Amino acid sequence: MSNRDEELVGVLTAISVVAKRMAGNIIRRSHKDKGGKTNGKAHRGTADVRREAKPYRRYAG
């Protein structure tokens, strides 16, 4: 594949990712406006809880 083809694939993939994210936001917003529940990860009550990253046991010193 040529560099131009690879660049085009990358751009189209990025567009696809953004479009999917926007569609999800629109769906969540429409459910919220109707009073329905949203099933997104941010609404599960664990959005503020983050575990500290730990090194993989095999490589931990």
Side-chain angles (χ1 to χ4, degrees):
M1 216 186 303
S2 72
N3 286 339
R4 185 173 183 201
D5 289 344
E6 290 178 12
E7 185 176 345
L8 183 59
V9 168
V11 169
L12 292 173
T13 301
I15 291 170
S16 175
V17 168
V18 171
K20 183 177 180 181
R21 186 181 309 142
M22 289 173 67
N25 289 340
I26 291 169
I27 290 168
R28 271 194 302 281
R29 190 170 293 148
S30 70
H31 284 283
K32 189 175 181 181
D33 290 345
K34 293 178 183 178
K37 291 185 177 181
T38 58
N39 293 325
K41 291 180 182 179
H43 300 283
R44 292 186 185 166
T46 58
D48 296 335
V49 179
R50 304 247 181 196
R51 291 188 290 173
E52 185 177 328
K54 296 180 182 177
Y56 185 62
R57 276 187 282 158
R58 182 175 178 189
Y59 302 110

